[in-house]
Amino acid sequence: QVQPVESGGGLVQAGGSLRLSCAASGRTFSHYAMGWFRQAPGKEREFIAAISRDGGNTYYADSVKGRFTISRGSARNTVYLQMNSLKPEDTAVYYCAAGRSYYSERYYYTESDYGYWGQGTQVTVSS
């Protein structure tokens, strides 16, 4: 099985950028669709972005569309989340998730589609 491991979180001013990385521990992400979720204090975890197994299809929550970009590394063992124009409301713990996918072109945006989760990385955006 695969274990996602996130990195790249931190403190940034509003309007700034961060790039989160998600590395595969154990196996590569080759057979998995990937997603990013986040959980702000006092709120439920929410979907942010997803990418298909082949990397050809992506999907974003309306709250981040046009500002965040999900991508897969060429070595198939890393997934990235580029976050631009950050806002204080983006402050949250960000989680990377992997979901076994038999369809290379499909992406998923519900938590139940993902069987493997990272521990999360904190992103704090100051105003």
Side-chain angles (χ1 to χ4, degrees):
Q1 65 185 43
V2 67
Q3 177 62 49
V5 180
E6 305 95 338
S7 62
L11 174 65
V12 63
Q13 288 189 331
S17 298
L18 277 177
R19 188 175 82 156
L20 303 183
S21 298
C22 176
S25 176
R27 304 180 67 175
T28 70
F29 291 141
S30 298
H31 299 290
Y32 298 84
M34 302 298 297
W36 286 94
F37 293 73
R38 70 185 181 188
Q39 187 168 23
K43 295 186 177 181
E44 293 187 352
R45 189 158 58 186
E46 64 174 348
F47 166 79
I48 293 300
I51 189 166
S52 58
R53 199 181 80 196
D54 65 3
N57 294 301
T58 58
Y59 183 70
Y60 299 92
D62 287 344
S63 59
V64 304
K65 196 175 298 181
R67 299 189 298 123
F68 290 12
T69 302
I70 187 171
S71 61
R72 304 186 77 116
S74 58
R76 312 297 281 174
N77 59 359
T78 309
V79 175
Y80 302 101
L81 185 68
Q82 178 67 43
M83 306 186 296
N84 299 328
S85 302
L86 283 161
K87 306 174 182 179
E89 51 263 43
D90 293 318
T91 294
V93 177
Y94 283 70
Y95 297 91
C96 176
R100 184 82 183 197
S101 178
Y102 295 99
Y103 303 98
S104 61
E105 74 282 6
R106 289 190 65 178
Y107 53 76
Y108 305 94
Y109 49 85
T110 59
E111 291 192 30
S112 61
D113 288 315
Y114 293 93
Y116 304 96
W117 293 80
Q119 294 300 306
T121 185
Q122 176 70 46
V123 172
T124 303
V125 184
S126 63
S127 57

